[in-house]
């Protein structure tokens, strides 16, 4: 049999935005094409991203203002080596790279987001003069899914457990646990023209393929304009800069020009009285530097598909219709700044649309236009580096999946047919598919 | 069961958590270690002691000292950071308590250099050494020798190929500079630095990322602390970190505050950090620091054991820490400010050495080089007003006046030498 060995993509120029590194620091590599000024800003951004922030007051007033309420002391804590976070494996383990979003279910059955007392997410840490909001732990129900060839795949279903409520009890709270996502190609995602994302939407499933991705339109409260949500597990953030300031505010308690007030709700009087690290704590130049850092991180270069098994895996990926949502190609806008991000063809393997992923993955918590069953298609690029970059890395929004196969088997709703196709595969086909995913 | 019902149930389950979790003891730790180091130790400790919750307060050493001296508002139980001066100052202010744990297997000195407090108020936790991170592959490809001493970097072949951190800008650099001055002596040490600097690009920022200057090919060697190199090195074998034959090691310490409300727990934490299990965490890829527990070296033969294999002349921390500002000021005045003159003068010297000079010209070149190797700055006593002034601030009037004086002195010396060297070169070219 004659097998045509095709490289997965065209050749890569030296000035491409890719890195060929496949080691544990692969997601921290910078693009090679930076100017001296860009490198200076990139370096400052990296320093701030890796900085463990300080409780105010401090002699170092450029890095103080942590909290009053917070989840993590640095960006790096939830994105170790810029990779994905992980869920605790046992109830007694602490959450150190994930958080829990909150809503309240009122007596009439209405869902109130953010939670009126605790806000958008439960902050389980606080500065000394302030009470942490509560404690989160994770427990699991373990079970097996048996594939058609008889292979039993261990699965775990997470349970979010809240305790030590500091301000009001946790009755009628809706939760949604989220691990820190890997930070890959964030600038490129920001630079995809809106029309390319819209072109893949099919909210009414007019093509009848059972997949009905839709855009999560996000209204900018300042301008009133709507934008495509493209960041976050629910596609509820429209721009990279907004993603950065939201994370600083929600996760670290660091204010910025966009979130000038501390992350306290009106009933959290101790939080409201706490010392601030500045107005805002994250200065505009610092915000810009962190954004530049995200923009100019190199994307790991996909590995070539250069043997029969990988070609079979690619075939299985296509045949199972994974590409319908894990969309392979976009070309960024030519007007994009910085120049390194412009007119570039990228393969994120996501359509950045919302899809109903079924009851198994549903968090039951609507979030800015996304229903409790909908999730943004997670980009798959460089997913094969997850365990290299961080051996504890997990998959799916709440880190429930310990392996890629486990993650696939949680796919339901619009992805039910693809999941079933994987269940029906022979072990050879399945191995080939999983190996192919390692090379994206 | 619907998802909403499930969620309510989970919350109810949460109200019946195991007592161990609800009653977890909290230990507050002040540190200046970076996130990957903190995470690695937190995870290791909390896995061993799930009933203990660690809370970390991050502060740079100066800020930590200031906070603890003013008011221990953060209820800090443990101090854990690489800063000899901070621990010494805390001990002097009676803010640390003696740690009563078994110290068997933990050396108290490296070479002639004590690393822990003799009264056990702070104990060495890890050590970091100064050295040279090189692009081994490219040097070997060109059959260049691998540097074994600091002085090796003064060779003309290294012209433009070294990254040298500026001590007034990069936190770890004052000790890097001072260790060689202490080892070689005041005059010889400074001359060696001037000659290394003449081969170097001076780096004023981003200490943790200095090794990238080698990995991107900008330079072939960078003077840096070992852990910066070890954490950035991959398994490719292209790069190497070298401890020069004579170098210095800087211990990091751990101590328990006098006001700790959890003394027993704090001692348990310290004990863990110094145990074989805790010290083994130092070998993790994102941590990569040198343990103080020697058993770790016995089990990892690939590692350089600084307690046995490296020569360390006693580095005087008291002297070094008292004159960080003074050393930084002199470096700026005698090296950073006149860097173009250093490069030009030593390039001319090296070029002329390659030429066939007549006897008179060769003698003249030797004289000019001797002139360049004169160090005209007298060492100020550690208790002098000058050293104190520079330690207060580089902007202190006395310190600035001395900065100006040294700069003018060295600039004049180098300009005169350059003029003589250019004349010599002109004459040499004319006669050949």
């Amino acid at each position: 049999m004659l097998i045509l060995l095709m490289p997965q993509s065209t050749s890569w120029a030296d000035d491409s935005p890719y890195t060929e590194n496949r080691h544990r620091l692969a997601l921290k590599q910078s693009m090679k094409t930076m100017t001296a000024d860009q490198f200076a800003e990139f370096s400052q951004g990296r320093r701030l991203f890796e900085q463990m922030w300080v409780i105010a007051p401090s002699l170092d007033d450029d890095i103080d203002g942590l909290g009053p309420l917070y989840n993590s002391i640095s960006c790096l804590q939830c994105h170790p080596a810029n990779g994905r976070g992980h869920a605790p494996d046992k109830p007694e383990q602490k959450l150190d790279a994930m958080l829990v979003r909150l809503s309240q279910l009122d007596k009439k059955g209405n869902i109130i987001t953010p939670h009126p007392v605790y806000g958008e997410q439960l902050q389980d840490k606080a500065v000394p003069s302030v009470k942490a909001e509560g404690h989160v732990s994770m427990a699991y129900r373990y079970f097996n899914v048996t594939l058609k060839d008889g292979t039993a795949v261990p699965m775990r279903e997470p349970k979010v457990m809240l305790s030590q409520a500091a301000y009001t009890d946790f009755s009628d709270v809706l939760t949604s646990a989220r691990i820190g996502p890997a930070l890959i190609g964030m600038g490129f995602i920001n630079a995809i023209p809106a029309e390319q994302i819209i072109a893949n939407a099919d909210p009414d499933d007019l093509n009848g393929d059972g997949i009905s991705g839709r855009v999560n339109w996000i209204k900018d409260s300042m301008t009133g304009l709507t934008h495509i949500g493209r960041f976050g597990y629910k596609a509820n953030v429209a721009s990279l800069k907004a993603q950065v300031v939201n994370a600083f505010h929600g996760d670290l308690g660091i204010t910025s020009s966009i979130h000038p007030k501390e992350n306290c709700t009106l009933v959290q009087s101790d939080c409201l009285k706490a010392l601030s690290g500045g107005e805002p704590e994250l200065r505009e130049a610092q915000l810009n530097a962190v954004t530049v850092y995200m923009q100019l991180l190199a994307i790991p270069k996909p590995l070539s598909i250069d043997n029969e098994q990988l070609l079979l895996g690619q075939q299985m990926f296509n045949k199972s219709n994974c590409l319908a949502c894990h969309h392979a190609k976009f070309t960024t806008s030519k007007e994009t700044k910085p120049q390194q991000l412009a007119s570039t063809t990228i393969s994120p393997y996501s359509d950045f649309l919302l899809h109903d992923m079924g009851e198994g993955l549903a968090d039951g918590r609507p979030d800015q236009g996304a229903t409790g069953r909908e999730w943004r298609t997670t980009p798959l690029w460089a997913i094969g580096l997850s365990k290299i970059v961080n051996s504890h890395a997990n998959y799916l929004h709440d880190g429930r999946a310990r392996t890629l196969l486990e993650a696939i088997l949680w796919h339901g709703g619009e992805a039910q047919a693809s999941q079933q196709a994987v269940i029906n595969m022979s072990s050879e086909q399945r191995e080939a598919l999983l190996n192919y995913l390692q090379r994206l | 069961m619907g998802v909403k019902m499930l969620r309510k149930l989970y919350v109810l389950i949460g109200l019946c958590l195991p007592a161990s979790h609800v009653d977890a003891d909290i230990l507050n730790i002040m540190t200046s270690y970076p996130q990957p180091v903190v995470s690695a130790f937190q995870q290791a400790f909390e896995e061993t002691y799930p009933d203990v919750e660690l809370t970390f307060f991050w502060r740079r050493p100066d800020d930590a000292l200031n906070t603890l001296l003013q008011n221990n508002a953060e209820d800090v139980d443990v101090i854990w950071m690489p800063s000899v001066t901070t621990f010494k100052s805390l001990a002097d202010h009676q803010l640390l308590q003696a740690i009563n744990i078994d110290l068997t297997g933990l050396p108290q000195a490296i070479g002639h250099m004590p690393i822990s407090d003799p009264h056990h108020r702070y104990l060495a936790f890890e050590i970091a050494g100064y050295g040279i991170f090189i692009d081994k592959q490219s040097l070997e490809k060109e059959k260049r020798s691998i540097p074994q001493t600091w002085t090796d970097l003064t060779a003309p072949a290294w012209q433009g190929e070294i990254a040298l951190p500026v001590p007034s800008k990069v936190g770890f650099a004052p000790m890097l500079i001072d260790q060689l001055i202490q080892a070689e002596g005041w005059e010889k040490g400074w001359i060696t630095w001037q000659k290394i600097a003449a081969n170097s690009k001076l780096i004023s920022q981003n200490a943790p990322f200095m090794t990238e200057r080698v990995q991107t090919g900008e330079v072939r060697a960078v003077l840096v602390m070992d852990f910066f190199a070890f954490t950035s090195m991959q398994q490719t074998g292209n790069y190497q970190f070298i401890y020069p034959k004579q170098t210095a090691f800087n211990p990091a310490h751990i101590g328990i505050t006098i006001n700790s409300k959890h003394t027993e727990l704090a001692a348990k934490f310290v004990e863990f950090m110094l145990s074989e299990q805790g010290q083994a965490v130092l070998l993790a890829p994102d941590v990569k620091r040198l343990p103080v527990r020697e058993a770790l070296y016995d089990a990892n033969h690939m590692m350089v054991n600084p307690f046995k294999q490296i020569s360390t002349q006693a580095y005087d921390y008291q002297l070094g820490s008292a004159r960080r500002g003074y050393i930084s000021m002199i470096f700026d005045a005698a090296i950073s400010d006149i860097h173009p003159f250093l490069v030009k003068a030593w390039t001319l010297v090296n070029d002329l050495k390659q030429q066939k000079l007549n006897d008179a010209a060769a003698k003249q070149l030797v004289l000019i080089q001797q002139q360049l190797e004169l160090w005209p700055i007298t060492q100020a006593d550690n208790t002098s007003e000058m050293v104190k002034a520079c330690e207060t601030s580089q902007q202190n009037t006395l310190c600035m006046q001395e900065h100006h004086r040294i700069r003018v002195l060295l600039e004049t010396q180098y300009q005169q030498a350059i003029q003589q060297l250019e004349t010599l070169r002109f004459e040499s070219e004319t006669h050949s």
Side-chain angles (χ1 to χ4, degrees):
Chain A
M1 185 170 65
L2 179 66
I3 301 288
L4 186 61
L5 299 178
M6 294 282 290
Q8 184 160 318
S9 295
T10 50
S11 62
W12 308 94
D14 286 343
D15 62 350
S16 77
Y18 293 85
T19 172
E20 297 197 23
N21 288 319
R22 304 286 298 176
H23 50 59
R24 65 184 174 79
L25 302 179
L27 302 183
K28 294 178 73 175
Q29 306 300 304
S30 59
M31 287 183 198
K32 291 174 186 166
T33 53
M34 276 190 273
T35 64
D37 286 348
Q38 281 178 330
F39 181 74
E41 199 165 19
F42 176 90
S43 300
Q44 192 202 354
R46 177 166 55 180
R47 187 181 64 75
L48 291 165
F49 184 85
E50 298 188 357
Q51 178 66 51
M52 293 176 81
W53 287 71
V54 179
I55 296 166
S58 163
L59 295 178
D60 299 307
D61 63 359
D62 56 332
I63 51 166
D64 73 345
L66 178 71
L69 294 163
Y70 62 98
N71 293 99
S72 58
I73 194 167
S74 73
C75 304
L76 202 61
Q77 187 177 338
C78 288
H79 308 279
N82 292 351
R84 55 185 61 228
H86 54 267
D89 290 322
K90 297 180 277 194
E92 56 269 31
Q93 283 180 354
K94 284 90 185 174
L95 271 72
D96 59 0
M98 76 183 296
L99 55 83
V100 176
R101 297 248 190 260
L102 298 176
S103 295
Q104 189 184 41
L105 194 64
D106 74 8
K107 286 176 181 151
K108 294 176 185 170
N110 300 315
I111 294 168
I112 305 164
T113 302
H115 189 286
V117 172
Y118 289 104
E120 188 73 34
Q121 67 201 48
L122 189 95
Q123 278 113 358
D124 57 353
K125 299 180 184 70
V127 300
S129 60
V130 177
K131 296 190 291 279
E133 291 183 326
H135 181 83
V136 185
S137 54
M138 303 286 287
Y140 296 92
R141 177 178 74 85
Y142 293 91
F143 61 99
N144 286 345
V145 167
T146 305
L147 308 180
K148 195 179 175 189
D149 68 358
T151 305
V153 182
M155 308 278 285
R156 63 177 189 180
E157 181 182 17
K159 303 171 183 180
V160 176
M161 306 194 297
L162 305 183
S163 61
Q164 301 175 36
Y167 296 93
T168 185
D169 66 47
F170 290 133
S171 58
D172 297 323
V173 167
L174 297 181
T175 62
S176 182
R178 315 278 174 88
I179 61 168
L183 303 172
I184 301 167
M186 302 287 276
F188 288 103
I189 296 171
N190 202 49
I192 298 171
E195 57 271 21
Q196 289 185 35
I197 294 176
I198 294 167
N200 292 314
D202 184 15
D204 300 318
D205 193 18
L206 295 177
N207 65 5
D209 66 352
I211 295 169
S212 51
R214 69 182 184 88
V215 170
N216 192 6
W217 291 102
I218 303 299
K219 190 170 183 179
D220 186 323
S221 58
M222 303 286 281
T223 64
L225 298 173
T226 54
H227 303 278
I228 289 179
R230 51 182 89 198
F231 294 99
Y233 286 109
K234 295 275 190 179
N236 57 3
V237 182
S239 73
L240 176 55
K241 198 169 243 185
Q243 180 73 6
V244 171
V245 292
N246 289 357
F248 265 106
H249 190 246
D251 305 349
L252 281 81
I254 302 291
T255 60
S256 60
S257 57
I258 298 169
H259 295 296
K261 291 184 180 170
E262 297 289 359
N263 58 1
C264 319
T265 58
L266 293 175
V267 298
Q268 294 171 323
S269 54
D270 54 350
C271 180
L272 291 164
K273 286 180 203 159
L275 274 176
S276 167
E279 294 179 354
E281 289 158 342
L282 184 71
R283 296 162 194 168
E284 208 61 18
Q286 292 176 312
L287 167 58
N288 290 336
V290 176
T291 307
V292 165
Y293 173 59
M294 298 277 133
Q295 288 174 321
L296 296 178
L297 283 169
I299 303 171
K301 179 182 163 183
L303 297 175
S304 58
I305 305 304
D306 55 4
N307 65 40
E308 283 187 47
Q309 195 213 27
L310 293 170
L311 282 168
L312 175 63
Q314 188 177 40
Q315 197 184 336
M316 290 298 107
F317 188 76
N318 298 345
K319 197 173 166 186
S320 308
N321 207 22
C322 305
L323 274 172
C325 302
H326 291 287
H327 193 72
K329 289 276 187 280
F330 291 96
T331 302
T332 56
S333 163
K334 64 180 177 187
E335 283 88 24
T336 299
K337 300 285 179 204
Q339 178 63 29
Q340 289 94 331
L341 305 179
S343 303
T344 306
T345 299
I346 55 170
S347 302
Y349 292 94
S350 170
D351 56 9
F352 305 101
L353 299 172
L354 291 173
H355 296 274
D356 179 341
M357 293 301 290
E359 186 70 14
L361 281 179
D363 63 1
R365 177 181 173 273
D367 192 340
Q368 287 213 43
T371 71
R373 290 169 61 100
E374 286 180 319
W375 297 96
R376 183 197 72 156
T377 306
T378 297
L380 298 181
W381 52 6
I383 200 157
L385 284 169
S386 303
K387 301 276 186 188
I388 296 170
V389 166
N390 174 12
S391 58
H392 300 293
N394 297 142
Y395 305 101
L396 297 175
H397 62 278
D398 53 11
R400 67 178 70 187
R402 294 151 294 178
T403 65
L404 284 175
L405 182 56
E406 199 177 348
I408 293 168
L409 294 176
W410 274 108
H411 282 50
E414 296 173 36
Q416 187 77 53
S418 298
Q419 180 230 43
Q420 194 58 48
V422 175
I423 289 174
N424 292 340
M425 284 177 189
S426 68
S427 60
E428 182 196 10
Q429 291 169 327
R430 202 169 52 248
E431 280 303 304
L433 172 70
L434 294 172
N435 282 342
Y436 171 73
L437 293 175
Q438 296 291 327
R439 302 177 78 83
L440 297 180
Chain B
M1 188 181 289
V3 171
K4 285 179 187 171
M5 286 296 288
L6 259 179
R7 260 157 248 301
K8 282 189 180 178
L9 178 62
Y10 294 163
V11 168
L12 284 174
I13 293 168
L15 297 175
C16 312
L17 276 171
S20 63
H21 225 2
V22 175
D23 300 336
D25 289 317
I26 295 175
L27 195 64
N28 292 331
I29 299 163
M30 187 170 278
T31 187
S32 65
Y33 275 108
Q35 183 73 66
V37 177
V38 172
S39 292
F41 279 95
Q42 182 174 17
Q43 189 185 338
F45 181 79
E46 289 180 348
E47 273 175 14
T48 309
Y49 296 100
D51 294 348
V52 183
E53 190 167 325
L54 304 180
T55 300
F56 289 93
F57 301 130
W58 197 93
R59 289 187 186 274
R60 289 195 177 107
D62 288 352
D63 192 27
L65 181 62
N66 185 56
T67 303
L68 291 167
L69 289 179
Q70 284 188 358
N71 175 18
N72 193 359
E74 286 164 3
D75 286 338
V76 174
D77 298 300
V78 174
I79 318 286
W80 174 48
M81 58 180 62
S83 176
V84 177
T85 51
T86 299
F87 280 95
K88 192 172 179 314
S89 189
L90 288 171
D92 289 347
H93 285 87
Q94 315 291 325
L95 288 174
L96 297 175
Q97 54 179 285
I99 302 169
N100 296 311
I101 61 168
D102 182 5
L103 300 177
T104 308
L106 296 168
Q108 295 301 297
I110 180 166
H112 305 290
M113 208 169 63
I115 54 173
S116 287
D117 175 40
H119 306 294
H120 302 169
R121 292 166 299 181
Y122 53 94
L123 301 172
F125 156 72
E126 51 104 352
I127 47 176
Y130 290 93
I132 309 163
F133 180 66
I134 57 161
D135 183 346
K136 183 184 170 195
Q137 191 182 44
S138 82
L139 290 173
E140 285 181 346
K141 201 173 171 182
E142 293 178 21
K143 299 189 174 159
R144 295 262 302 273
S145 55
I146 304 293
Q148 302 298 328
T149 67
W150 301 106
T151 309
D152 287 348
L153 298 176
T154 63
W158 287 97
Q159 178 67 53
E161 294 188 342
I162 304 166
L164 172 61
V166 174
S168 61
K169 307 288 184 191
V170 178
F172 71 78
M175 185 172 166
L176 164 71
I177 304 302
D178 204 8
Q179 58 85 20
L180 186 64
I181 293 167
Q182 288 195 23
E184 291 198 343
W186 181 255
E187 287 84 9
K188 193 177 172 205
W190 275 115
I191 295 298
T192 303
W193 281 123
Q194 280 194 313
K195 290 162 91 170
I196 293 174
N199 281 339
S200 303
K201 295 179 177 180
L202 302 184
I203 308 300
S204 298
Q205 57 180 358
N206 295 319
F209 314 123
M210 284 185 69
T211 53
E212 285 186 11
R213 295 178 186 271
V214 172
Q215 289 166 331
T216 57
E218 182 188 338
V219 292
R220 297 216 231 188
V222 59
L223 279 55
V224 74
M225 297 190 87
D226 50 14
F227 59 87
F228 289 128
F230 295 149
T231 52
S232 69
M233 268 197 281
Q234 301 309 316
Q235 293 172 335
T236 60
N238 293 352
Y239 307 101
Q240 186 180 352
F241 181 80
I242 295 152
Y243 293 102
K245 282 178 184 162
Q246 164 65 48
T247 190
F249 288 86
N250 198 19
H253 293 101
I254 192 162
I256 301 173
T257 60
I258 197 84
N259 295 321
S260 170
K261 292 169 188 158
H262 308 96
T263 302
E264 279 184 33
L265 204 56
K268 192 190 275 189
F269 179 73
V270 172
E271 196 166 32
F272 174 83
M273 300 292 270
L274 299 179
S275 69
E276 275 197 45
Q277 187 189 354
Q279 290 278 292
V281 179
L282 288 165
L283 309 181
D286 291 332
V287 181
K288 286 284 185 190
R289 280 152 162 88
L290 299 175
V292 289
R293 188 169 279 282
E294 282 207 89
L296 269 291
Y297 296 98
D298 298 338
N300 294 274
H301 298 297
M302 295 297 285
M303 286 176 63
V304 169
N305 180 349
F307 291 96
K308 287 183 178 160
Q309 292 161 311
I310 311 278
S311 161
T312 52
Q313 185 164 316
Y315 176 78
D316 185 338
Y317 286 107
Q318 202 163 353
L319 172 65
S321 61
R323 69 182 192 186
R324 285 170 63 94
Y326 179 61
I327 292 288
S328 298
M329 179 274 289
I330 295 177
F331 189 97
D332 280 344
I335 293 177
S336 305
D337 292 353
I338 61 163
H339 189 238
F341 299 120
L342 293 183
V343 175
K344 189 165 187 180
W346 286 105
T347 305
L348 282 166
V349 169
N350 294 328
D351 287 351
L352 283 163
K353 279 184 176 176
Q354 299 301 313
Q355 294 181 21
K356 285 184 182 174
L357 302 176
N358 61 36
D359 286 352
K363 278 181 189 169
Q364 175 70 4
L365 180 59
V366 170
L367 286 173
I368 298 170
Q369 184 168 346
Q370 284 172 349
Q371 186 188 330
L372 283 174
E373 289 176 346
L374 281 176
W375 181 249
I377 319 299
T378 309
Q379 180 175 196
D381 186 85
N382 233 19
T383 56
S384 69
E385 289 305 312
M386 179 60 64
V387 171
K388 286 179 188 169
C390 293
E391 203 51 32
T392 310
S393 165
Q394 298 281 303
Q395 305 306 315
N396 177 289
T397 308
L398 190 59
C399 191
M400 283 175 70
Q401 284 171 346
E402 181 68 353
H403 183 142
H404 180 70
R405 186 185 74 82
I406 295 172
R407 179 192 166 142
V408 171
L409 199 62
L410 269 297
E411 190 173 329
T412 307
Q413 179 181 323
Y414 265 81
Q415 278 184 332
Q416 285 172 353
I418 288 167
Q419 202 171 11
Q420 291 171 331
L421 287 162
E422 283 179 333
T423 305
L424 199 58
R425 183 175 65 177
F426 176 76
E427 288 172 358
S428 158
E429 286 169 357
T430 310
H431 294 139
S432 63

